[in-house]
Amino acid sequence: MPLPPALPVSGSTRRRWLAQAAALTGAVALPAAPVRAAEATPLRIGYQKSSTLTLLLKSRGVLEQALAPRQIAVSWHEFTSGLPLLEALNIGALDLSADVADAVPPFALAAGAKLTYYAIETPSPTAQAIVVRKDSPITRVAQLKGRKVGFAKGAGAHYLLLEALSQAGLSIRDIEPAYLNPADGRSAFENGAIAAWVVWDPFLAAVQRQSGARILVDGTRIAAYRRFYLAATPFAQRHPEVLQRVYEELQRAGEWVKKNPAAAADWHAPALGLDAAIVAAANERRSYAVRPVDTESLAEQQRIADAFSGAQILPRRVAIQESPVWRPA
């Protein structure tokens, strides 16, 4: 069964998601080394433009070379956001997902998706923040009371806002929410239509450098902001050895990005449509340290799920511990 959207979306948007996912079902990759089509096992990987480590593997043909001897044919499929990517995993149109923000898996699981956690990036709490304009009189989160705040509904930024408000003695009912994607959020922020914007890198680095936005509070001691990698559970069960190799290559990619910040920024900037200096600033705040999924990261997944269900944003309560977890050898 297709995964019903956890967030309200228009009929046209949902049809576009499903059409994209359905189109992937018959996709065939061209591996770096010859693989006989009759014997090849497909490995369909979904990613976004911001999927730094996965894009690095794609650009270098690393997985094609590593997996060709195992008769694995790799194909790559780009998505614009995390929720439709996980929907494609659930309906069998993808096998692996690149990283998604920590708030995304609970929404997919609440809608019944059969997903396996297979890796995380360690916390990057400063890679998302609540920002105000440089001339704003607002200096504390408590001063957001009664004001309009922009953020993407269901994103990690949404969870950051919920927790920051709670620590300031407020709730989401004390502000005027404006649900905006990053492009619309940037426009509303710069035009003064919202008093504050909750956003993540590289959009955060861009608005800081280009508009002089001031950070009101970031995720430090509020929201850890881990990135999660997921697999379709049937694929994870059938091919643990493939997950092992992908995991190892993601680790190597993360180490390269942190050891070569200038080269990594120069490489990724054109794909993002940003200056290399902005990408470098964003990469500085991102850990890119790929690790096994541990109990601490799953505990925070549960806290995120509980926060969203408590705010009546999730359709039902999610028990994260019921989701399978692949662990490296």
Side-chain angles (χ1 to χ4, degrees):
M1 291 291 292
L3 171 63
L7 297 177
V9 296
S10 67
S12 61
T13 298
R14 177 155 178 76
R15 286 192 294 273
R16 187 169 68 251
W17 288 1
L18 290 175
Q20 183 180 12
L24 300 182
T25 307
V28 177
L30 294 177
V35 176
R36 294 177 60 183
E39 301 174 359
T41 297
L43 172 58
R44 301 158 299 172
I45 303 175
Y47 67 96
Q48 303 170 67
K49 280 187 172 63
S50 60
S51 303
T52 307
L53 303 188
T54 301
L55 267 177
L56 186 60
L57 299 185
K58 177 179 182 292
S59 69
R60 294 181 171 181
V62 170
L63 294 181
E64 288 86 344
Q65 296 173 27
L67 296 173
R70 295 182 178 271
Q71 298 294 298
I72 303 293
V74 183
S75 60
W76 304 90
H77 310 281
E78 183 176 334
F79 285 74
T80 56
S81 61
L83 279 173
L85 197 166
L86 295 192
E87 175 161 1
L89 274 182
N90 184 59
I91 68 173
L94 289 177
D95 304 303
L96 295 185
S97 162
D99 57 294
V100 295
D102 49 11
V104 177
F107 280 92
L109 294 171
K114 304 300 182 184
L115 305 176
T116 293
Y117 291 88
Y118 76 93
I120 58 169
E121 288 178 22
T122 58
S124 303
T126 61
Q128 58 177 355
I130 303 173
V131 296
V132 294
R133 288 179 296 281
K134 59 184 176 182
D135 58 351
S136 172
I138 297 173
T139 59
R140 295 178 293 111
V141 173
Q143 292 173 299
L144 295 177
K145 185 174 183 179
R147 296 177 182 265
K148 184 178 287 189
V149 180
F151 57 96
K153 190 173 186 180
H158 192 165
Y159 176 66
L160 171 61
L161 177 63
L162 291 177
E163 292 300 295
L165 290 172
S166 177
Q167 289 191 12
L170 303 175
S171 76
I172 198 74
R173 292 181 293 275
D174 292 308
I175 65 164
E176 184 179 348
Y179 302 127
L180 302 168
N181 63 38
D184 292 339
R186 172 77 178 261
S187 176
F189 179 75
E190 293 180 338
N191 292 334
I194 54 178
W197 187 29
V198 197
V199 69
W200 59 94
D201 277 325
F203 309 107
L204 172 59
V207 77
Q208 282 183 281
R209 286 179 169 261
Q210 295 171 343
S211 300
R214 174 166 51 85
I215 290 180
L216 187 63
V217 65
D218 61 27
T220 304
R221 293 184 295 277
I222 301 176
Y225 191 54
R226 294 173 175 88
R227 305 286 298 186
F228 285 83
Y229 295 79
L230 295 103
T233 294
F235 185 89
Q237 292 173 340
R238 290 195 306 267
H239 300 288
E241 77 288 352
V242 174
L243 267 64
Q244 179 71 36
R245 192 54 188 264
V246 173
Y247 173 84
E248 292 169 355
E249 296 300 345
L250 287 170
Q251 279 195 317
R252 293 189 183 98
E255 291 167 0
W256 182 85
V257 169
K258 297 306 282 189
K259 290 177 180 178
N260 302 275
D266 288 341
W267 159 76
H268 201 187
L272 294 171
L274 295 171
D275 292 339
I278 292 174
V279 178
N283 284 350
E284 179 66 25
R285 291 189 286 232
R286 182 99 164 256
S287 77
Y288 289 122
V290 176
R291 298 290 184 268
V293 179
D294 55 18
T295 55
E296 183 180 352
S297 61
L298 293 176
E300 186 172 51
Q301 283 283 276
Q302 189 64 61
R303 290 194 295 273
I304 292 171
D306 291 345
F308 281 130
S309 59
Q312 299 183 324
I313 298 165
L314 280 182
R316 66 178 178 87
R317 190 180 184 280
V318 176
I320 297 295
Q321 72 272 16
E322 295 177 1
S323 300
V325 176
W326 174 87
R327 301 188 189 282

